[in-house]
Amino acid sequence: MKTNPDDIKGDQWPSFAAEIGESDEHDHKIRLVLDYVHSKDVLDVGCVHHNPEKYKSKFWLHKAIKKHARKLIGIDLYRSGLSFLQEKGFDVRFADACDFDLDRKFDVITTCDIIEHLVDVGGFLESVSRLEAGRYFADFYS
């Protein structure tokens, strides 16, 4: 089952960072991931995180990874968010996390705060397994 991109209204979803406020105590996720992405090829699934303006934040995981990874590609269904980030120079692409194939391998795959939103977790896991990544990081919003 594929996700309907028309159902993605990223700028209308509440942002977790906005709910908790941005402070240094909430960057544990970034510290953990950065230990594994240095000089690696990384795929960030769900990279827009509901609001493309997060590119300004020091707590946006995608930007933190970009500073350390050899190559970073992000995928998301939020078309206008992707366009905005592409204009800012980020290599982000339109793809459904439940059914994608980028025809390449990655050393690390990250998915933060998206799995609970997927309509087909099995399709997501199949897509990830085709990429044969060495490491996979998932974070769940609870």
Side-chain angles (χ1 to χ4, degrees):
M1 174 187 312
K2 287 192 172 198
T3 306
N4 181 352
D6 295 332
D7 292 340
I8 304 301
K9 298 172 179 66
D11 56 351
Q12 296 176 12
W13 291 1
S15 164
F16 179 64
E19 291 173 17
I20 63 171
E22 290 191 354
S23 67
D24 289 334
E25 67 190 85
H26 298 291
D27 69 349
H28 61 281
K29 180 186 333 180
I30 292 173
R31 286 194 307 264
L32 173 68
V33 171
L34 292 184
D35 286 342
Y36 295 95
V37 300
H38 183 71
S39 299
K40 304 287 187 191
D41 291 347
V42 181
L43 174 65
D44 185 18
V45 181
C47 61
V48 177
H49 291 276
H50 309 300
N51 181 353
E53 290 286 339
K54 284 189 178 182
Y55 85 95
K56 297 175 185 175
S57 170
K58 69 179 181 176
F59 298 104
W60 184 43
L61 181 62
H62 192 80
K63 179 171 71 175
I65 293 171
K66 184 177 180 182
K67 291 178 183 177
H68 296 273
R70 174 179 42 232
K71 173 72 176 165
L72 173 63
I73 296 173
I75 64 171
D76 207 296
L77 279 177
Y78 182 21
R79 288 186 193 272
S80 62
L82 291 168
S83 295
F84 180 88
L85 293 173
Q86 288 166 343
E87 290 173 8
K88 300 294 181 191
F90 293 96
D91 185 356
V92 294
R93 304 168 188 189
F94 180 81
D96 184 348
C98 296
D99 184 20
F100 66 93
D101 188 356
L102 299 177
D103 198 30
R104 63 166 294 169
K105 295 181 182 180
F106 293 88
D107 300 311
V108 179
I109 298 172
T110 62
T111 59
C112 295
D113 304 322
I114 68 149
I115 291 180
E116 63 273 19
H117 300 290
L118 300 177
V119 297
D120 182 6
V121 174
F124 166 73
L125 294 173
E126 287 177 27
S127 296
V128 167
S129 69
R130 287 191 294 263
L131 301 177
E132 301 177 26
R135 298 249 184 211
Y136 171 69
F137 290 94
D139 180 34
F140 302 90
Y141 179 74
S142 58

